[in-house]
Amino acid sequence: MTTDTPARLLTLLSLLQTPREWPGGELAERLGVSRRTVRRDIDRLRELGYPVQATMGTDGGYRLVAGKAMPPLVLDDEEAVAIAVGLRAGAGHAVAGLDEASVRALAKLEQVLPSRLRRRVATLQSATTPLTSGDGPSIAPETLTVMASTVAGNERLRFAYRAADGTETRRVTEPYRLVSTGRRWYLVAYDLDRADWRTFRVDRVSEPFATGARFAPRELPTGDAAEYLRRSMYRRNDSYGITVVFHAPAATVAALLPPWLGVPEPAEDGGSCVVRATVSGSVEWTAVRLATTGLKFRVAEPAELVECVREMGARLARAAEDG
């Protein structure tokens, strides 16, 4: 018989989170208590916000149903490991619209995982290799989770940073937000040594360390991290605008292009569309990504991308002739 009420409630909650209906007698047997105690425990869970539904009759029982809010979940070891591995695998190239939420969830989960489960997650992660990768550089999930935890806790973050020219520096920052562009992750933070706001490409960050020192959040000049990142890219000339005409319907093109290349605008004829976007990185990479759609397209601007596509096409044609 389970006499520890909190432990018994957690066990009961874990059983109810299995998608099935539990007869009162079976719950009483599992917990080693009377049916009356089960009913009292069910009432306690309801008081805590868990929507437990009861059905009457010989086939009746209890089940956890959807409520107005998301109550805390109770996971067993295997479930916790499975969720952590899934979040870690997708952290660097998360589903559009869910990327930042995925990192926040991973940071919360790994914060409370026992050491034995952390080792299991790390072992499984290191033993597997994805067949395909995303459009951006890969990032260690640990880097993202450390950064996400310091953002959430208003905690100063120290890390090593490699600039585009290869220069290595050490930074101490007050992290504000993590921003995903679909291809890359960026950290928007206040750099204490430079007494100014900065953006950092997360794939160039190493040795992130949460210092434990708390800070009062500063007011970001633009008020929005994504907008600040956009302006920062323009200042560094790290981005450029493209206009590409695809000779295919917008829906077809949208299914083959990553989100960072924008949303195709249907043309009046309905059989073609225009892609306008502000992108960062080399024109060579943009040209390759456009070509991998397998669709007929024409680059209108910028001139650098037009020339790059022309030269790349000529090189590929020569390679085919040589072959």
Side-chain angles (χ1 to χ4, degrees):
M1 178 176 179
T2 306
T3 57
D4 184 347
T5 301
R8 190 176 66 246
L9 285 176
L10 288 175
T11 303
L12 174 59
L13 182 57
S14 179
L15 293 172
L16 290 174
Q17 285 177 345
T18 304
R20 55 161 289 191
E21 188 165 284
W22 290 88
E26 186 174 350
L27 287 176
E29 183 179 349
R30 289 286 192 108
L31 299 173
V33 297
S34 66
R35 294 193 180 201
R36 182 178 179 183
T37 300
V38 169
R39 289 194 294 271
R40 285 202 303 265
D41 287 349
I42 292 293
D43 290 337
R44 291 191 182 98
L45 290 179
R46 288 169 175 161
E47 291 172 1
L48 293 172
Y50 292 92
V52 181
Q53 184 182 74
T55 55
M56 307 301 292
T58 55
D59 297 328
Y62 302 96
R63 83 167 51 236
L64 196 63
V65 298
K68 295 181 180 179
M70 176 72 180
L73 296 176
V74 175
L75 304 172
D76 61 29
D77 286 2
E78 287 71 23
E79 293 165 343
V81 169
I83 292 175
V85 169
L87 289 172
R88 284 166 63 93
H93 308 288
V95 178
L98 297 180
D99 35 28
E100 293 182 44
S102 299
V103 173
R104 290 199 307 271
L106 180 57
K108 292 178 181 178
L109 181 59
E110 293 204 340
Q111 184 179 7
V112 298
L113 277 181
S115 59
R116 69 179 191 282
L117 297 187
R118 286 201 190 97
R119 286 194 295 271
R120 287 178 58 183
V121 171
T123 299
L124 184 55
Q125 189 77 17
S126 63
T128 58
T129 301
L131 178 63
T132 59
S133 60
D135 290 314
S138 60
I139 301 170
E142 294 84 356
T143 299
L144 284 172
T145 54
V146 169
M147 288 184 165
S149 64
T150 57
V151 169
N154 295 328
E155 186 178 350
R156 287 180 179 172
L157 175 70
R158 186 171 68 239
F159 54 86
Y161 191 70
R162 176 179 52 81
D165 61 3
T167 304
E168 299 277 353
T169 56
R170 306 290 300 186
R171 304 298 182 99
V172 179
T173 65
E174 295 178 352
Y176 183 79
R177 288 290 186 278
L178 280 167
V179 181
S180 171
T181 64
R183 275 187 69 200
R184 295 191 177 103
W185 282 94
Y186 290 85
L187 173 70
V188 177
Y190 188 84
D191 191 318
L192 293 173
D193 293 331
R194 291 153 182 77
D196 199 5
W197 289 92
R198 291 288 190 272
T199 59
F200 303 94
R201 271 180 49 174
V202 177
D203 59 292
R204 294 176 179 168
V205 169
S206 61
E207 303 173 45
F209 178 73
T211 65
R214 306 289 177 176
F215 64 89
R218 302 172 188 265
E219 184 177 353
L220 189 66
T222 61
D224 179 76
E227 176 62 18
Y228 182 84
L229 175 63
R230 187 185 67 82
R231 295 184 185 182
S232 176
M233 285 180 169
Y234 275 122
R235 287 197 302 269
R236 293 198 309 265
N237 293 322
D238 192 25
S239 61
Y240 50 92
I242 67 170
T243 301
V244 182
V245 179
F246 277 90
H247 300 283
T252 301
V253 176
L256 297 171
L257 285 182
W260 58 268
L261 272 176
V263 178
E265 304 170 7
E268 293 183 0
D269 60 10
S272 60
C273 63
V274 180
V275 172
R276 295 183 178 89
T278 299
V279 299
S280 60
S282 67
V283 292
E284 288 81 5
W285 172 247
T286 301
V288 169
R289 198 60 186 85
L290 292 170
T292 55
T293 62
L295 302 174
K296 184 178 180 181
F297 66 90
R298 177 179 62 82
V299 177
E301 59 179 357
E304 294 83 359
L305 182 57
V306 173
E307 184 62 23
C308 179
V309 169
R310 183 180 294 116
E311 291 181 358
M312 186 176 295
R315 289 200 302 270
L316 292 174
R318 287 195 299 270
E321 293 171 358
D322 294 343

